[in-house]
Amino acid sequence: VVCVGLDSTLEGEEGDTENKSGDKPDLRLPEVQRVLLQKLKDTGKPLIIVLAAGSSVNTECEGNALINAWYPGQYGGKALAEILFGEVSPSGKLPVTFYKSADMLPDFTDYSMKNRTYRFVEKAPLYPFGYGLNYADTLVMRAELTEDVVYAQTEEQSVGVEVTVANHGDVFTEDVLQVYVQVEDINEVPNPKLAVFKRVELAPGEEKMVTLEIPMRAFTVVDEEGKFVHTGRGADIY
């Protein structure tokens, strides 16, 4: 088990106590850590990489497992140990997009959304927004709308999605079901956007039917005047 990552001297807001430079130059680990990871991998022994950082980082080393610990706080050590020793099945999902390199991002002075966040990224990222594994074998068996999508004028209404999810593994786990929506409209973002999510507990061999309610706002787009509008057109649901 090897712990690598960044700290406040390498990333943070410009002007922070220890950070004088502000934005970091790339998405790589410091060179000494990259060398260490390669040396450890060359031994041929199973390698678990624990990454501590507050942003997208490419470790550039494919170990047997990768745990993104972020900056976990004073209880983080115990939580990490419980995951490493199998006492808890991890269930976290990425709240940001992990890019392969900084070359995928526009220049720092470019304020457009091109290639920024999962909604606008054009090439396959290193790890997509919402990605995350666990120790079980969870599988969505069925997913269908409880009613046709109706474009209402009020956002109080919602569309139900019934999902049957099963744990085919031999450990208790939690997983997070996610539903993405993309409206067929010229003002829609390029990629599907997260509409709703729900955490589900599953015992070994258990199967559950879960209903997720998609708010009608998920079927809106932002027009040229900056207002959320229902287009009356179709939508794709993932």
Side-chain angles (χ1 to χ4, degrees), residues 15 70 97 173 225:
W70 300 103
T97 302
T173 192
E225 297 179 358

Short mmCIF file of all heavy atoms in Angstrom, two decimals, residues 15 70 97 173 225:
data_model
loop_
_atom_site.label_atom_id
_atom_site.label_comp_id
_atom_site.label_asym_id
_atom_site.label_seq_id
_atom_site.Cartn_x
_atom_site.Cartn_y
_atom_site.Cartn_z
N GLY A 15 -2.49 32.84 -2.68
CA GLY A 15 -2.57 33.69 -1.50
C GLY A 15 -2.81 32.90 -0.23
O GLY A 15 -2.77 33.45 0.87
N TRP A 70 -9.03 11.87 -1.21
CA TRP A 70 -9.18 13.33 -1.10
C TRP A 70 -8.33 13.84 0.08
O TRP A 70 -7.27 13.35 0.34
CB TRP A 70 -10.66 13.72 -0.95
CG TRP A 70 -11.50 13.28 -2.11
CD1 TRP A 70 -12.36 12.21 -2.16
CD2 TRP A 70 -11.56 13.87 -3.43
NE1 TRP A 70 -12.93 12.09 -3.40
CE2 TRP A 70 -12.48 13.09 -4.19
CE3 TRP A 70 -10.95 14.96 -4.02
CZ2 TRP A 70 -12.77 13.39 -5.53
CZ3 TRP A 70 -11.24 15.26 -5.34
CH2 TRP A 70 -12.15 14.49 -6.08
N THR A 97 -14.67 15.61 -12.82
CA THR A 97 -14.10 14.84 -13.92
C THR A 97 -12.58 14.76 -13.76
O THR A 97 -11.94 15.77 -13.49
CB THR A 97 -14.44 15.50 -15.26
OG1 THR A 97 -15.86 15.60 -15.40
CG2 THR A 97 -13.89 14.70 -16.43
N THR A 173 -22.97 -4.12 0.47
CA THR A 173 -22.43 -2.92 -0.14
C THR A 173 -23.51 -1.86 -0.28
O THR A 173 -24.71 -2.13 -0.12
CB THR A 173 -21.85 -3.23 -1.54
OG1 THR A 173 -21.09 -2.11 -2.00
CG2 THR A 173 -22.97 -3.50 -2.54
N GLU A 225 -31.59 34.14 -23.15
CA GLU A 225 -31.81 35.17 -22.13
C GLU A 225 -31.46 34.67 -20.74
O GLU A 225 -31.68 35.38 -19.75
CB GLU A 225 -33.27 35.64 -22.17
CG GLU A 225 -33.65 36.31 -23.50
CD GLU A 225 -35.10 36.75 -23.52
OE1 GLU A 225 -35.81 36.50 -22.51
OE2 GLU A 225 -35.53 37.35 -24.51
#
